[in-house]
Amino acid sequence: MKCVQEQFEHALLECKTAKDVEALKLRYLGKKGIIQDQMRLLKEVSPEQRPAVGAQVNALKVYIEGKLDQFLSRIVDQEREQRMAGERLDVTLPGRAHFLGSKHPIPATIDEIVRILKDLGFSAQVGPQIETEYYNFEVLNFAPDHPAKDMQDTFYIEPGILLRTQTSNVQGRVMERTSPPIRIACPGRCFRNEEVSARSHCFFHQVEALYIDQGVSMQDLFSTFREFVQRLFQRDDLEVRFRPSYFPFVEPGTECDATCLVCNGKGCQLCKYSGWLEICGAGMVHPQVLRNVGIDPEKYQGYAWGMGVERLIMLRHSIRDIRLFSENDMRFLRQFHGA
Ligand code: DAH
């Protein structure tokens, strides 16, 4: 009996984990364990000695149970302490900085332009980037041999289907299915087969504005454009001027300029010493365009303008290379954070 107890104590000291203790428990107290063996051996003891030996076996069993419980609870405590030591939070560690993204300057500026136009009564409309030659050119009064339609300038997907070169493509689509008054702002991406350089890219963005109603005059174009520019640049003192120009879908056609943001009209490098910045092309919608979409030009008139978004941002932030917008260089993009 003494030797069983000693062996047990020895084995107990070897236990390192709660699992070891459980295994030892099974070995001694289990159904086929050592204590049960001892119980069975009682049969072989003489009847006189049996009560005394039985009592000894019992005492040993109680002793082993007690020791195992004690040891187990100590190990469980130890294990918990170890775990907690490993999990301890080091509150002195510096926090992880969160990276906050921001909107790319192009969609951010488009949003701004469209919001201002909405405030002025226009509603946003979008059109397809893959377009028919008809809506991109023909309905807009481009002659069949107009150089813009040339393979050099336009990406054709197949004969008659192309990547739109201008957001003016939305004009015909909307006018065809809407009766005046029409007042829409159409933002989107355009494509031209241009050599990529600091000044031009094969894709860029425009926002088109179109207003068709009875009695619309050039004065409406002038005053709405001035209001728009003043809101966009948040400066009431900006003036606008129109210079004659040519676009097949307007008559008369104009280039619209605004007072130079940097020199306030005195002349500087940005405005090439003219005092004016070129903002967009515009004009009174050509009667032929109205006829093409089934609107009577005797009854309705309208104006349209189309501005390049990249160009506008470049003027505003003195950016010299249009390629920066599509290079995903974080050093460039971060500058617009919250702009
Ligand atoms: N779509 C023209 C372009 O990409 C810009 C333009 C000029 C739009 C005059 C207009 C306009 O609506 O009236 O060059």
Side-chain angles (χ1 to χ4, degrees), residues 142 165-168 171 190 192 204 206-210 247 249-250 253-254 280-285 303-307:
F142 279 76
T165 60
Q166 48 187 353
T167 46
S168 311
Q171 284 195 20
C190 307
R192 281 185 206 175
F204 53 93
Q206 289 186 338
V207 181
E208 183 88 3
L210 173 73
F247 304 96
F249 43 97
V250 281
T254 75
C280 70
M284 300 304 291
V285 177
Y303 64 75
W305 80 61
M307 60 183 61

Coordinates of all heavy atoms in Angstrom, one line a residue, residues 142 165-168 171 190 192 204 206-210 247 249-250 253-254 280-285 303-307, ligand 1:
F142 N -23.2 67.2 -87.0 CA -21.8 67.0 -87.5 C -21.9 66.5 -89.0 O -22.7 65.6 -89.2 CB -21.0 66.0 -86.7 CG -20.4 66.5 -85.5 CD1 -21.2 66.7 -84.3 CD2 -19.0 66.8 -85.4 CE1 -20.7 67.2 -83.2 CE2 -18.5 67.2 -84.2 CZ -19.3 67.4 -83.1
T165 N -17.1 60.8 -77.7 CA -16.0 61.8 -77.6 C -16.5 63.0 -76.8 O -15.7 63.9 -76.5 CB -15.7 62.3 -79.0 OG1 -16.9 62.9 -79.6 CG2 -15.2 61.2 -79.9
Q166 N -17.7 63.1 -76.4 CA -18.3 64.2 -75.7 C -19.6 63.8 -75.0 O -20.3 62.9 -75.4 CB -18.6 65.4 -76.7 CG -19.4 64.9 -77.9 CD -19.5 66.0 -78.9 OE1 -19.1 67.1 -78.7 NE2 -20.1 65.7 -80.1
T167 N -19.8 64.5 -73.8 CA -21.1 64.2 -73.1 C -22.3 64.9 -73.8 O -23.4 64.7 -73.4 CB -21.0 64.7 -71.7 OG1 -20.5 66.0 -71.6 CG2 -20.2 63.7 -70.8
S168 N -22.0 65.6 -74.9 CA -23.1 66.2 -75.7 C -24.0 65.0 -76.3 O -25.1 65.3 -76.7 CB -22.6 67.0 -76.9 OG -21.6 67.9 -76.4
Q171 N -27.6 64.9 -75.2 CA -28.6 65.8 -75.7 C -29.6 65.2 -76.5 O -30.8 65.3 -76.2 CB -27.9 66.9 -76.5 CG -27.1 67.9 -75.8 CD -26.7 69.1 -76.7 OE1 -27.4 69.4 -77.7 NE2 -25.7 69.9 -76.3
C190 N -15.3 60.7 -71.3 CA -15.3 60.8 -72.8 C -13.9 60.2 -73.2 O -13.0 60.2 -72.4 CB -15.4 62.2 -73.2 SG -16.8 63.0 -72.6
R192 N -10.9 60.1 -76.5 CA -10.5 60.6 -77.8 C -9.1 60.0 -78.1 O -8.3 59.8 -77.2 CB -10.3 62.1 -77.9 CG -11.7 62.7 -78.1 CD -11.7 64.2 -78.2 NE -13.0 64.8 -77.8 CZ -13.2 66.0 -77.7 NH1 -12.3 66.9 -78.0 NH2 -14.4 66.4 -77.3
F204 N -11.1 61.5 -70.5 CA -11.2 62.7 -69.6 C -12.7 62.8 -69.3 O -13.5 62.0 -69.7 CB -10.7 63.9 -70.4 CG -11.3 64.1 -71.7 CD1 -12.5 64.9 -71.9 CD2 -10.8 63.4 -72.8 CE1 -13.0 65.0 -73.1 CE2 -11.4 63.5 -74.1 CZ -12.5 64.3 -74.2
Q206 N -16.3 65.3 -68.8 CA -17.0 66.5 -69.1 C -18.4 66.6 -68.4 O -18.9 65.6 -67.9 CB -17.4 66.6 -70.6 CG -16.2 66.7 -71.5 CD -16.7 66.9 -73.0 OE1 -17.8 66.5 -73.4 NE2 -15.8 67.5 -73.8
V207 N -18.8 67.8 -68.2 CA -20.2 68.0 -67.8 C -20.9 68.8 -68.8 O -20.5 69.9 -69.1 CB -20.3 68.6 -66.4 CG1 -21.8 68.7 -66.0 CG2 -19.6 67.8 -65.3
E208 N -22.0 68.3 -69.3 CA -22.8 69.0 -70.3 C -24.0 69.7 -69.6 O -24.6 69.1 -68.7 CB -23.3 68.0 -71.4 CG -24.0 68.6 -72.5 CD -23.1 69.0 -73.7 OE1 -21.9 68.7 -73.5 OE2 -23.6 69.5 -74.6
A209 N -24.4 70.9 -70.0 CA -25.6 71.5 -69.5 C -26.5 71.8 -70.7 O -25.9 72.3 -71.8 CB -25.3 72.7 -68.7
L210 N -27.8 71.5 -70.6 CA -28.7 71.8 -71.7 C -30.0 72.4 -71.2 O -30.5 71.9 -70.2 CB -28.9 70.5 -72.5 CG -30.0 70.6 -73.6 CD1 -29.5 71.3 -74.8 CD2 -30.5 69.2 -74.0
F247 N -19.0 75.2 -83.1 CA -19.3 73.8 -82.8 C -20.6 73.5 -83.6 O -21.5 74.4 -83.7 CB -19.7 73.6 -81.3 CG -18.6 74.0 -80.3 CD1 -18.6 75.3 -79.8 CD2 -17.5 73.2 -80.1 CE1 -17.6 75.7 -78.9 CE2 -16.5 73.6 -79.2 CZ -16.5 74.8 -78.6
F249 N -23.2 71.9 -83.4 CA -24.6 71.8 -82.8 C -25.1 73.1 -82.1 O -26.1 73.0 -81.5 CB -24.6 70.6 -81.8 CG -23.4 70.5 -80.9 CD1 -23.4 71.1 -79.7 CD2 -22.2 69.9 -81.4 CE1 -22.3 71.0 -78.8 CE2 -21.1 69.9 -80.6 CZ -21.1 70.4 -79.3
V250 N -24.3 74.1 -82.3 CA -24.8 75.4 -81.7 C -24.6 76.5 -82.7 O -23.7 76.5 -83.6 CB -24.1 75.8 -80.4 CG1 -24.6 75.0 -79.2 CG2 -22.6 75.6 -80.5
G253 N -21.9 79.8 -81.8 CA -21.1 79.1 -80.8 C -20.1 80.0 -80.1 O -19.7 81.0 -80.7
T254 N -19.8 79.7 -78.9 CA -18.9 80.6 -78.2 C -17.9 79.8 -77.3 O -18.2 78.6 -76.9 CB -19.6 81.5 -77.2 OG1 -20.1 80.8 -76.1 CG2 -20.8 82.2 -77.9
C280 N -15.3 76.8 -70.8 CA -16.0 75.8 -71.6 C -16.5 76.3 -73.0 O -16.4 77.5 -73.3 CB -17.2 75.3 -70.8 SG -18.5 76.5 -70.6
G281 N -17.0 75.4 -73.8 CA -17.6 75.7 -75.0 C -19.1 75.8 -74.8 O -19.7 75.1 -74.0
A282 N -19.8 76.7 -75.6 CA -21.2 76.8 -75.4 C -21.9 77.4 -76.6 O -21.2 77.7 -77.6 CB -21.5 77.8 -74.2
G283 N -23.2 77.6 -76.6 CA -23.8 78.3 -77.7 C -25.3 78.0 -77.6 O -25.8 77.3 -76.7
M284 N -26.0 78.6 -78.6 CA -27.5 78.4 -78.7 C -27.7 77.2 -79.6 O -27.1 77.1 -80.6 CB -28.1 79.6 -79.3 CG -28.0 80.9 -78.6 SD -28.5 80.8 -76.8 CE -30.3 80.7 -77.1
V285 N -28.5 76.3 -79.1 CA -28.7 75.0 -79.8 C -29.2 75.3 -81.2 O -30.1 76.0 -81.5 CB -29.8 74.1 -79.0 CG1 -30.0 72.8 -79.8 CG2 -29.3 73.8 -77.6
Y303 N -30.0 76.7 -74.9 CA -28.5 76.8 -74.9 C -27.9 75.5 -74.4 O -28.6 74.8 -73.7 CB -28.0 78.1 -74.1 CG -28.3 78.0 -72.7 CD1 -27.6 77.2 -71.8 CD2 -29.3 78.9 -72.1 CE1 -27.8 77.2 -70.4 CE2 -29.5 78.9 -70.7 CZ -28.8 78.0 -69.9 OH -29.0 78.0 -68.6
A304 N -26.6 75.4 -74.7 CA -25.9 74.2 -74.2 C -24.5 74.6 -73.9 O -24.0 75.6 -74.5 CB -25.9 73.1 -75.2
W305 N -23.9 74.0 -72.8 CA -22.5 74.2 -72.7 C -21.9 72.9 -72.3 O -22.6 72.0 -71.8 CB -22.1 75.3 -71.7 CG -22.2 75.1 -70.3 CD1 -21.5 74.2 -69.5 CD2 -23.0 75.8 -69.3 NE1 -21.8 74.3 -68.2 CE2 -22.7 75.3 -68.0 CE3 -23.9 76.9 -69.4 CZ2 -23.3 75.8 -66.9 CZ3 -24.5 77.4 -68.3 CH2 -24.2 76.8 -67.0
G306 N -20.6 72.7 -72.5 CA -19.9 71.5 -72.1 C -18.5 71.9 -71.6 O -17.8 72.6 -72.3
M307 N -18.2 71.4 -70.4 CA -16.9 71.8 -69.8 C -16.1 70.5 -69.5 O -16.6 69.5 -69.1 CB -17.1 72.7 -68.6 CG -17.9 72.1 -67.4 SD -18.0 73.3 -66.1 CE -18.9 74.6 -67.0
Ligands
DAH1 N1 -18.9 68.9 -76.8 C1 -17.9 70.0 -77.0 C2 -16.5 69.4 -77.0 O1 -16.3 68.3 -76.5 C3 -18.0 71.0 -76.0 C4 -19.3 71.8 -76.2 C5 -19.2 73.0 -76.9 C6 -20.5 71.5 -75.6 C7 -20.3 73.8 -77.1 C8 -21.6 72.2 -75.8 C9 -21.5 73.4 -76.6 O2 -22.8 71.9 -75.3 O3 -22.6 74.2 -76.8 O4 -15.6 70.0 -77.5

